[in-house]
Amino acid sequence: MKLYDRDLSWLSFNYRVLMEAMDDSVPLLERLRFTAIYSSNLDEFFRVRVANIRNIKQIDKKKINKRVDFDAKTQLEQIHSEVSHQLNEYGGVLRDVIEKLKDNGHHICTDTNEIPEKLRPQLLHFFKTRVAAFLKPIEVQAHEELFLNNQAIYLVVVSESDELYVLNIPAEDVGRFSSHSYDNKHFYLFLDDVIRIHLDIIFPKQKIKGSYAIKLNKDADLQIDDEFEGNLVRKIEKQIQKRNLGIPSRFLFDKAIDDKALSILAEKLTLSPEDMITGGRYHNLNDFFEIRIDNPELTYENRETIEVPELQKCHSIFSCIERQDFLLHFPYQSYDYILQFFNEAAIDPDVKEINVTFYRMAKNSLIGEALISAAKNGKKVAVFMEVKARFDEKNNLEWASKMKEAGVKIIYSLPGLKVHAKVALVKKEDRMYGFFGTGNLNEKTSEIYCDYGLLTINESMTRELSNLFQHLLTKYTPPPFKELIVSQFGALETFQSKIDREIQHAEAGKEARIIIKVNNLQETSLIQKLYEASKRGVDVKLIVRSICCLIPNKNLKVKRIVDRYLEHGRIFYFHNDDAQEIYLGSADWMNRNLHRRIEVCFPIHNEGMKQEILTILKYQWKDDIKGVWLSQKMKNKRAKAESKIRAQEATYEYLLNKGKET
């Protein structure tokens, strides 16, 4: 069975993001933001994936098969080749967007020569009062070794006498862009250039020959030797502090820099040739998110969130849930109902206990505040806090500490596992109320991620969820899960058996169908089952946003959708001889999700809700505006514009009309 490389597949996804920046039908400021998303994604890819491959390559050959070392080397070469090709296109896309913004009166200056002379006095004042205090020039030749902060951007300043200085660009302290208006036009200047035009003030005794941007990415994965011994939280805290000391994974430099200066920097930073990546005049282009332009013609149309009439009319959200289940679609429908769920739980005198899992908390989490209030109001509140969520470790630890001080019981990460489930349980004396989600309990990401949340009092589902929380809190061994599909408790085998059942139906001449919508598809045994099912008569449809190791063929097509919102909800549909089973959940079909995490997938029992999900899946499968087909070489192949359906717009209209009908 041939599989596509995971990392090259991810690069194919990131190129699909870049395609949105290329699309003239996307509003200009949104196109600029897609270039920022592309840049941010690629940055993290080098900090994590490329760094891990480099680590494998550098392992002592005595400890590994030589083939592994060779494969790692080949894989790095393939990655760098593809990234180089994409970055060439990226530069052209960015120039096009910047030029068109200029036509609309918004000038993003990409050279000091583009700065109007009449702005220079303002910039001098800005430099002297806001910027200069944060500058820390370092004379390179005066140091045996050079230390650069991870992801930070610097200018390499070269004097006419070939002295080298590294000068920090304090974007975190000042902001990356300085904005000014002049002659009915708006100008946005990189902080890099504000510093460049004042180098004579910083180096009054030097004649400056040139200045060039550099940036160093370092391995950002936490290296915890043994999660089973000692204090895991303490180990994570120490590793967060050491993240800035990781080994280099990519050194970006301005292609205009001279070879001599580059050679000195490589020696001082102990860089190998494969660390060195040629870049442009500016780095960290994810900072384009900072540019704010108040012009509705340059952004997506503002959409009001859709109200759920039954929930709007209810005095108590719990009384509503007692009457019926609610399936919420974010960001189309308001996340306020989830905030109301937790806020009401915090003050309802009948609520005795609240259990929640967190993977990525919002920085200013209203849910976290509600749980603190609940604990202070005498409720028994227990939170499972995953402190190994990459790049959110610090925020999660801070929230855990804050809630613990308020009396919330905090259970931290399990050794060897991550808890990625998105669930909550509110207990009263006589019943339990469950929240089951596909996305994080995070009101910030709920604005831009397409996810699902189910509110229910279904007894069997809430009982099994209670058993899972008991397992997380006390290591209690729960009885077999029959309603929920829980990784670490037979999830892989359950999915395999459901695929096998569809194969049996197909061979018996019955209608057999599988629809899988995930972010990532990598798990080998499930891919093998999907190949088998498609060959033996099962109609298999796959919607995979990002990594897809399955290679499509004429019987097995894969659709990828990238649009205004990030497609994040996971859906698993099995026709089951017309009994139609649908599960939603947090689990991608990845090795990590099914083998090294605790995930929860939950059934949808209500027939009306099933039809909602099937309607949305139909829109996504037919999307020929933002949907592309993956080719056998993992290229993004535009669909023929036949149905002219844009899934996210169709979903919004569908839910809006459904709400009006109700």
Side-chain angles (χ1 to χ4, degrees):
M1 179 179 66
K2 290 186 68 175
L3 297 174
Y4 200 77
D5 178 78
R6 165 187 170 156
D7 297 303
L8 294 178
S9 175
W10 183 89
L11 287 171
S12 167
F13 154 69
N14 206 34
Y15 184 79
R16 174 65 190 89
V17 173
L18 185 57
M19 287 169 67
E20 284 301 285
M22 300 174 186
D23 190 343
D24 286 331
S25 70
V26 175
L28 269 176
L29 188 57
E30 306 299 346
R31 290 178 64 189
L32 185 68
R33 288 170 181 164
F34 274 110
T35 68
I37 294 168
Y38 174 89
S39 177
S40 177
N41 287 351
L42 191 62
D43 204 61
E44 182 175 330
F45 177 74
F46 272 89
R47 292 165 67 197
V48 179
R49 290 299 303 171
V50 172
N52 286 343
I53 297 167
R54 290 281 307 281
N55 287 341
I56 292 172
K57 186 173 179 292
Q58 292 174 2
I59 293 173
D60 186 349
K61 289 183 181 180
K62 293 179 182 178
K63 296 179 182 178
I64 60 172
N65 187 302
K66 291 183 180 179
R67 175 71 179 172
V68 174
D69 187 64
F70 173 79
D71 285 347
K73 181 176 182 294
T74 303
Q75 191 173 14
L76 284 171
E77 290 172 351
Q78 291 174 331
I79 287 170
H80 286 304
S81 174
E82 177 60 25
V83 169
S84 177
H85 168 74
Q86 290 186 13
L87 288 177
N88 284 336
E89 290 197 56
Y90 179 85
V93 172
L94 190 54
R95 284 190 293 272
D96 179 56
V97 173
I98 288 174
E99 192 61 33
K100 286 177 178 173
L101 281 169
K102 185 177 179 180
D103 293 340
N104 281 269
H106 297 277
H107 297 238
I108 299 174
C109 298
T110 55
D111 194 290
T112 54
N113 295 329
E114 298 179 13
I115 302 172
E117 281 298 321
K118 289 195 175 181
L119 286 181
R120 298 282 176 138
Q122 293 181 41
L123 294 173
L124 177 61
H125 181 263
F126 175 71
F127 174 79
K128 286 181 174 180
T129 59
R130 296 287 308 280
V131 180
F134 297 101
L135 298 178
K136 304 174 185 70
I138 300 170
E139 187 178 350
V140 175
Q141 286 99 329
H143 295 77
E144 288 187 16
E145 294 182 350
L146 188 61
F147 179 83
L148 300 182
N149 287 320
N150 185 28
Q151 287 190 285
I153 45 176
Y154 297 84
L155 285 178
V156 176
V157 181
V158 185
S159 72
E160 286 193 352
S161 56
D162 285 336
E163 289 178 290
L164 258 63
Y165 298 87
V166 167
L167 181 61
N168 63 306
I169 299 174
E172 287 191 6
D173 302 297
V174 182
R176 186 67 188 282
F177 293 94
S178 172
S179 59
H180 305 268
S181 294
Y182 161 70
D183 196 21
N184 293 320
K185 297 174 184 176
H186 304 281
F187 294 86
Y188 308 88
L189 280 69
F190 281 92
L191 182 59
D192 321 31
D193 288 335
V194 175
I195 294 170
R196 277 186 171 106
I197 63 175
H198 297 107
L199 287 175
D200 59 328
I201 297 175
I202 306 167
F203 303 102
K205 297 180 180 180
Q206 299 284 354
K207 289 187 177 180
I208 304 303
K209 185 166 63 175
S211 59
Y212 314 95
I214 60 170
K215 171 188 169 181
L216 185 64
N217 283 123
K218 301 180 183 181
D219 182 356
D221 246 3
L222 301 187
Q223 306 299 324
I224 302 171
D225 295 331
D226 186 353
E227 295 186 13
F228 294 88
E229 294 293 331
N231 188 316
L232 178 59
V233 172
R234 190 69 54 81
K235 288 181 178 181
I236 291 171
E237 288 172 336
K238 286 182 178 179
Q239 287 299 315
I240 292 171
Q241 294 171 358
K242 291 180 179 179
R243 186 169 260 158
N244 204 30
L245 305 175
I247 64 169
S249 61
R250 180 175 68 154
F251 178 73
L252 267 176
F253 59 90
D254 184 340
K255 62 184 176 184
I257 194 170
D258 64 81
D259 291 341
K260 183 179 178 182
L262 197 59
S263 177
I264 293 170
L265 289 169
E267 181 184 349
K268 298 289 184 181
L269 292 166
T270 321
L271 300 173
S272 65
E274 61 191 13
D275 295 326
M276 316 285 281
I277 306 293
T278 305
R281 180 178 171 85
Y282 306 100
H283 308 315
N284 274 13
L285 296 181
N286 54 307
D287 289 337
F288 280 132
F289 280 120
E290 292 183 17
I291 291 180
R292 296 283 185 266
I293 298 175
D294 186 17
N295 184 343
E297 292 182 1
L298 301 181
T299 61
Y300 288 125
E301 179 186 357
N302 186 39
R303 282 180 180 161
E304 295 294 326
T305 52
I306 300 167
E307 293 181 351
V308 179
E310 299 91 340
L311 290 175
Q312 285 295 118
K313 294 173 185 175
C314 274
H315 181 69
S316 162
I317 196 166
F318 294 127
S319 63
C320 287
I321 301 169
E322 287 166 14
R323 289 197 286 271
Q324 68 176 87
D325 289 356
F326 288 92
L327 178 64
L328 300 174
H329 305 257
F330 312 119
Y332 310 108
Q333 293 172 324
S334 176
Y335 202 74
D336 288 350
Y337 303 121
I338 305 304
L339 300 181
Q340 185 182 342
F341 178 79
F342 286 100
N343 292 343
E344 191 173 324
I347 60 175
D348 188 331
D350 292 331
V351 170
K352 307 300 181 186
E353 189 174 343
I354 306 171
N355 296 330
V356 190
T357 60
F358 283 112
Y359 191 74
R360 298 188 192 277
M361 288 191 74
K363 190 171 184 179
N364 300 306
S365 174
L366 293 175
I367 297 173
E369 294 293 348
L371 295 174
I372 287 171
S373 296
K376 290 183 176 180
N377 291 339
K379 320 291 184 192
K380 185 179 177 182
V381 183
V383 166
F384 186 94
M385 181 66 76
E386 182 51 75
V387 292
K388 292 183 288 184
R390 187 183 294 125
F391 304 131
D392 280 273
E393 304 97 342
K394 187 172 183 290
N395 182 61
N396 285 3
L397 283 167
E398 288 173 353
W399 265 108
S401 176
K402 185 177 179 180
M403 288 190 287
K404 192 173 183 179
E405 287 178 9
V408 175
K409 182 178 180 180
I410 302 292
I411 298 88
Y412 295 100
S413 300
L414 298 173
L417 290 173
K418 285 185 180 180
V419 175
H420 190 247
K422 326 294 188 183
V423 289
L425 190 65
V426 172
K427 295 183 179 181
K428 292 186 179 181
E429 199 72 53
D430 57 341
R431 62 168 52 97
M432 296 183 286
Y433 306 79
F435 168 81
F436 298 85
T438 65
N440 293 306
L441 283 163
N442 183 317
E443 51 269 39
K444 189 66 179 174
T445 56
S446 73
E447 297 173 0
I448 53 174
Y449 284 25
C450 289
D451 271 307
Y452 303 95
L454 178 70
L455 297 170
T456 183
I457 60 166
N458 181 287
E459 287 188 19
S460 53
M461 290 173 66
T462 54
R463 183 174 61 252
E464 289 190 1
L465 182 56
S466 180
N467 290 340
L468 177 62
F469 273 112
Q470 284 302 304
H471 169 72
L472 295 175
L473 300 176
T474 67
K475 298 183 180 179
Y476 156 82
T477 302
F481 292 97
K482 295 180 180 179
E483 285 277 352
L484 306 180
I485 300 177
V486 183
S487 56
Q488 307 307 312
F489 295 93
L492 181 63
E493 294 77 12
T494 300
F495 284 128
Q496 288 171 338
S497 69
K498 291 183 183 299
I499 297 173
D500 282 335
R501 185 182 60 197
E502 294 301 317
I503 292 172
Q504 291 168 9
H505 289 159
E507 292 181 334
K510 299 177 180 179
E511 186 176 357
R513 184 179 302 112
I514 296 170
I515 307 173
I516 304 297
K517 179 180 184 289
V518 288
N519 300 330
N520 303 294
L521 176 58
Q522 179 207 19
E523 211 285 330
T524 307
S525 67
L526 289 172
I527 290 175
Q528 192 166 17
K529 282 288 180 189
L530 291 172
Y531 277 134
E532 181 186 351
S534 68
K535 288 177 182 176
R536 293 169 69 175
V538 181
D539 177 18
V540 180
K541 292 181 171 67
L542 303 175
I543 304 170
V544 184
R545 189 196 78 222
S546 184
I547 296 167
C548 181
C549 296
L550 178 147
I551 300 174
N553 57 47
K554 63 180 181 180
N555 296 321
L556 194 54
K557 291 186 176 181
V558 182
K559 175 148 279 190
R560 169 181 283 157
I561 297 172
V562 174
D563 199 352
R564 175 177 182 170
Y565 306 121
L566 183 79
E567 291 293 337
H568 192 255
R570 292 86 166 179
I571 305 173
F572 310 94
Y573 169 86
F574 304 94
H575 188 69
N576 191 24
D577 195 19
D578 215 26
Q580 296 195 127
E581 288 184 345
I582 295 180
Y583 289 83
L584 309 178
S586 61
D588 281 318
W589 279 7
M590 295 275 285
N591 292 333
R592 66 187 184 196
N593 299 86
L594 296 168
H595 298 284
R596 300 190 299 276
R597 291 184 176 183
I598 288 181
E599 308 273 7
V600 172
C601 297
F602 50 95
I604 298 299
H605 293 302
N606 181 279
E607 291 301 320
M609 291 178 186
K610 287 182 181 181
Q611 289 309 309
E612 277 185 21
I613 294 166
L614 286 171
T615 298
I616 292 168
L617 284 173
K618 180 183 73 174
Y619 293 149
Q620 293 183 347
W621 190 250
K622 289 187 174 183
D623 189 331
D624 50 14
I625 296 176
K626 296 300 181 180
V628 298
W629 298 109
L630 296 189
S631 72
Q632 290 190 339
K633 293 184 178 180
M634 213 49 63
K635 301 296 183 183
N636 298 283
K637 186 179 178 182
R638 286 284 187 189
K640 291 181 180 179
E642 295 173 348
S643 59
K644 295 184 179 179
I645 288 176
R646 183 174 174 181
Q648 291 187 1
E649 284 190 354
T651 298
Y652 180 80
E653 291 298 325
Y654 169 71
L655 294 171
L656 183 64
N657 291 331
K658 201 168 186 299
K660 289 177 180 177
E661 289 170 9
T662 306

